[in-house]
Amino acid sequence: MKKVISVLMCAALAACSIFAMAGCTKQNELKSDIVLITDGGHINDDGYNQSAWEGISQFADENVMSCRYYQPVLDENGDLTVENIDKYVSLAADNGAQYIVLPGEDFAVPAFELAGAYPDVKFILLDAIPHAENDNTHAYLSNVMSVKFDALQSGVLAGYIAAASGHTELGYFGEFDSESSANYGAGFVQGAAMVADSKGIPVTVDWAEYDSAILDYDYNFTVTACYEKIEDTNDKVFNVKVENGVGTGTYKEGSNVTITANPAPLGKEFDKWEVKSDTKGVKDKKVNISSSTKSSMNLLVEECDCTITAVYKDIEGDVVTLTTMDTDGKTPYLEQSVAENSQCDIKAPVAPTSMVFDHWECTVADAVEDETSAQTKVNITSQDITVTPVYAISSTPTFNVTVATGEGGNGESTGSGSYLAEDLVEISAAVPAEGYMFSHWSNEDAYGHSTGISMENEYCMVTSFEMVDRYASLCEAMYNHGATMIFNGGNSKADSAMTAKWGFDYDLGVIAAGEKNKDAYSTIIKNFGEAAKDCLAEYKGGSVFVADCSNNGIYASFVPEDEEIKAEYDKLYETLANDKATLIMVEGGAGSEFCRRFVENKLSKCLTLNAWFDDEVVIELD
């Protein structure tokens, strides 16, 4: 047992977390038999924390035991660290906790690393099995009882509800090389087949795994700068000429145009903008720019042609050269002069395909403020300095964006590259060819569908947008193919199905799994509270408790109101609870093996299974 935690540490913890209405001024007030450490959320989150707490509270009341919860504060990245969790485990153990309940996969590594240090405490790990960091090999520890929720039975309930509700075109959105995902999908197919075969109704299920290497699906997309002929517009148009900068073109009256100065020549820095009206009778001061001293500013196009010129001045004092290298690490991307003993912003070029920015290398030690940030500052001393961006293969999915120049453009539009979801993508259209003017930006994926991005201003030549989770496009393809209900169980990208759903204006549905989802047609709930009660009642360290229909470990949040459907659902639930259903389980990996077995053995008379990663199945995505 670790030494008793000090009252001062207790007070510090109390300042940054919630101790179930208990203060830290009196040590005996912290005594509890059972402690829940939440994942950082509150016990009223209508999710796993609340479910676990309700089960623990009920068990404690029924068995005359005391209980409380600790709500840790997450780190700056929104994560639970082992060190942080250890503080709360230590506090609980030092105050007599017999049981500590940990909800979810976030606690799998902490349980593996901490359980041995507290041999007298009985840990209950819900919906996870302990494992080392960067190693998913399960560890069965003598004082940790794990809970696993039955994915196969969950899928059966989802499939039954989908087909019984009248949906005959279904989709399963899975994850490759995941036994849990494969069993969610296998159950979904079998549950839907039960309805199809018993009622003689044809049902189709499209099965796709978003990250499967054998799924030939293109998540990348193209953003195109579109132009129109000046002679084809009925609007008033005006000519803008930008010297030493970007923004030259013909624009409609009222357009808001971003004007940006070119990088300053060596030895100089940007000074100001000079503006000149090129329309007789309109004074220069009528040219409406947002700032004359910022190197990037906006022009409101009004009743005149104009010329806007970027003016540079000599840098005062001694200067050095700051060179930012390109993605290849060999070619200069940007060279600029900077005053000695000053500070300058740097930004890495867009990452090459399937890579992400990793860190900066610099010819002057410690000059870069944050070496792991693609956009940071560099401290300039009295010597020339070169900063080189280093890129790495991304462990998080990246999506490639191609920025193209449409007909009527003259040159290359910029912004093409590899991006993560939530990255800010900055794009700039090529200068219009003679007789053309910029019109707008368009976007589409490889199948001609909209990509779901939202631009800051799609009518501006220089604009930006936030990179979206492109996995939603796979679910969109399912909907376009005819699916009206998609099941996303066992999928770490489950929210992608919900994103896809909102992109359509007709009635489509998603069946979710895990936490209750108010936007889903139904959710196959993981009942953390019931599982926690069962483990507390019959604790067995080193074992895995399977939560399923037999112990109310899973259930559907919504079953259609129709009496016949409800009666059939109850009958199915009872059959699963009594282990009387003959089900095919997937062991050891991806759902492709299940799909092939299901099709080859013709395991359903009325259900057709389309495995999108199977060469024999042709899906028209466009």
Side-chain angles (χ1 to χ4, degrees):
M1 180 73 70
K2 288 195 171 183
K3 65 180 182 180
V4 177
I5 195 166
S6 70
V7 176
L8 285 176
M9 178 177 284
C10 178
L13 288 171
C16 63
S17 62
I18 299 174
F19 289 134
M21 306 303 291
C24 285
T25 53
K26 296 181 180 179
Q27 192 75 357
N28 61 0
E29 290 181 2
L30 289 175
K31 298 291 183 182
S32 296
D33 300 311
I34 310 169
V35 169
L36 167 70
I37 300 178
T38 79
D39 60 6
H42 198 269
I43 57 164
N44 295 321
D45 63 358
D46 200 28
Y48 293 149
N49 293 310
Q50 180 171 337
S51 176
W53 178 244
E54 289 173 351
I56 291 168
S57 299
Q58 183 179 348
F59 180 87
D61 288 343
E62 293 172 352
N63 291 274
V64 196
M65 299 176 74
S66 59
C67 64
R68 70 177 61 248
Y69 70 91
Y70 300 156
Q71 181 182 344
V73 174
L74 305 180
D75 68 11
E76 59 184 10
N77 297 317
D79 296 327
L80 279 171
T81 63
V82 174
E83 294 76 15
N84 193 20
I85 293 170
D86 189 20
K87 296 176 184 178
Y88 298 95
V89 171
S90 178
L91 180 61
D94 290 337
N95 284 280
Q98 301 175 45
Y99 301 91
I100 296 179
V101 181
L102 307 173
E105 176 63 31
D106 285 347
F107 290 95
V109 172
F112 175 83
E113 296 189 8
L114 299 176
Y118 302 90
D120 298 330
V121 175
K122 299 173 182 177
F123 291 88
I124 297 173
L125 180 59
L126 300 174
D127 199 24
I129 299 176
H131 61 79
E133 189 172 8
N134 301 320
D135 182 356
N136 290 326
T137 304
H138 292 163
Y140 301 97
L141 308 178
S142 61
N143 63 331
V144 180
M145 185 175 186
S146 301
V147 173
K148 178 181 179 181
F149 291 87
D150 195 312
L152 190 65
Q153 288 191 3
S154 296
V156 170
L157 297 180
Y160 169 81
I161 290 173
S165 301
H167 296 274
T168 59
E169 297 287 336
L170 309 175
Y172 178 64
F173 180 55
E175 182 173 355
F176 183 75
D177 201 23
S178 165
E179 184 174 314
S180 174
S181 173
N183 278 300
Y184 272 113
F188 184 68
V189 171
Q190 293 172 81
M194 291 176 185
V195 177
D197 291 343
S198 66
K199 298 185 181 299
I201 301 172
V203 173
T204 299
V205 178
D206 290 338
W207 181 317
E209 293 164 349
Y210 73 88
D211 56 344
S212 172
I214 54 178
L215 173 65
D216 185 18
Y217 188 86
D218 190 346
Y219 293 105
N220 305 315
F221 66 91
T222 299
V223 179
T224 303
C226 301
Y227 304 82
E228 63 179 315
K229 291 183 178 180
I230 295 173
E231 64 185 29
D232 291 340
T233 183
N234 294 321
D235 297 312
K236 286 185 178 181
V237 297
F238 298 95
N239 297 314
V240 175
K241 182 179 180 182
V242 179
E243 296 184 344
N244 301 331
V246 177
T248 294
T250 302
Y251 301 95
K252 295 178 182 179
E253 182 180 11
S255 297
N256 197 341
V257 182
T258 300
I259 307 292
T260 303
N262 293 333
L266 291 179
K268 294 182 179 294
E269 61 183 354
F270 175 81
D271 181 27
K272 63 182 178 179
W273 292 102
E274 290 182 349
V275 297
K276 176 179 177 295
S277 168
D278 295 329
T279 298
K280 187 176 181 180
V282 178
K283 297 180 180 180
D284 293 345
K285 65 181 181 181
K286 290 293 186 179
V287 180
N288 191 349
I289 61 173
S290 62
S291 172
S292 62
T293 57
K294 292 183 178 179
S295 61
S296 183
M297 55 79 181
N298 289 333
L299 162 72
L300 180 61
V301 179
E302 296 183 299
E303 293 280 345
C304 70
D305 299 329
C306 62
T307 298
I308 302 176
T309 303
V311 178
Y312 304 91
K313 64 180 180 180
D314 293 334
I315 299 176
E316 295 182 2
D318 295 327
V319 299
V320 299
T321 300
L322 169 62
T323 303
T324 303
M325 303 302 286
D326 210 337
T327 55
D328 60 7
K330 302 175 182 179
T331 308
Y333 173 71
L334 175 64
E335 289 184 315
Q336 56 194 119
S337 296
V338 187
E340 285 188 354
N341 302 314
S342 64
Q343 199 174 56
C344 185
D345 293 321
I346 55 173
K347 183 177 181 181
V350 176
T353 299
S354 301
M355 303 188 79
V356 291
F357 172 83
D358 188 67
H359 68 278
W360 291 100
E361 291 182 351
C362 185
T363 55
V364 177
D366 302 324
V368 178
E369 281 202 349
D370 185 351
E371 294 182 349
T372 62
S373 176
Q375 190 166 351
T376 183
K377 294 181 181 296
V378 59
N379 295 309
I380 308 299
T381 55
S382 58
Q383 58 181 305
D384 291 344
I385 184 169
T386 298
V387 289
T388 303
V390 179
Y391 300 84
I393 298 294
S394 176
S395 58
T396 303
T398 62
F399 305 100
N400 298 324
V401 177
T402 299
V403 182
T405 301
E407 181 182 356
N410 182 18
E412 180 182 359
S413 297
T414 63
S416 297
S418 183
Y419 299 92
L420 298 169
E422 299 185 0
D423 276 353
L424 182 66
V425 182
E426 298 175 329
I427 57 178
S428 179
V431 174
E434 185 175 351
Y436 285 84
M437 64 182 181
F438 178 78
S439 173
H440 64 284
W441 291 97
S442 68
N443 65 87
E444 65 178 24
D445 63 16
Y447 309 103
H449 303 143
S450 175
T451 62
I453 63 173
S454 178
M455 292 192 182
E456 182 180 2
N457 186 346
E458 64 183 293
Y459 301 104
C460 186
M461 290 181 66
V462 179
T463 189
S464 62
F465 61 88
E466 184 179 289
M467 189 65 200
V468 296
D469 171 15
R470 287 290 294 148
Y471 289 135
S473 64
L474 184 57
C475 294
E476 291 168 1
M478 287 184 172
Y479 285 133
N480 284 321
H481 190 241
T484 59
M485 186 70 70
I486 291 177
F487 180 45
N488 63 359
N491 187 342
S492 61
K493 299 296 181 184
D495 285 345
S496 299
M498 299 304 302
T499 299
K501 173 183 181 297
W502 297 121
F504 292 81
D505 58 3
Y506 48 90
D507 188 22
L508 299 173
V510 173
I511 296 180
E515 291 184 271
K516 188 180 297 181
N517 189 318
K518 63 181 179 61
D519 295 320
Y521 180 78
S522 181
T523 303
I524 311 304
I525 302 290
K526 292 179 180 179
N527 194 342
F528 273 41
E530 197 66 32
K533 286 167 54 181
D534 289 339
C535 291
L536 288 166
E538 298 185 26
Y539 184 86
K540 186 178 179 181
S543 69
V544 177
F545 175 82
V546 179
D548 55 20
C549 294
S550 68
N551 45 47
N552 198 31
I554 56 174
Y555 65 92
S557 65
F558 171 75
V559 180
E561 297 294 332
D562 183 274
E563 291 185 6
E564 181 180 351
I565 295 177
K566 281 191 170 183
E568 290 295 327
Y569 171 84
D570 290 341
K571 182 179 178 180
L572 172 62
Y573 197 93
E574 184 178 353
T575 299
L576 294 173
N578 293 326
D579 198 24
K580 292 183 177 180
T582 302
L583 301 174
I584 302 173
M585 176 175 284
V586 181
E587 296 183 359
S592 55
E593 291 304 316
F594 165 79
C595 291
R596 291 191 176 93
R597 179 179 175 186
F598 188 91
V599 173
E600 289 172 359
N601 291 281
K602 300 179 180 179
L603 297 180
S604 173
K605 296 178 181 179
C606 297
L607 185 139
T608 300
L609 176 58
N610 293 329
W612 285 21
F613 38 73
D614 193 328
D615 292 339
E616 297 179 2
V617 178
V618 178
I619 302 296
E620 297 294 336
L621 294 175
D622 54 357

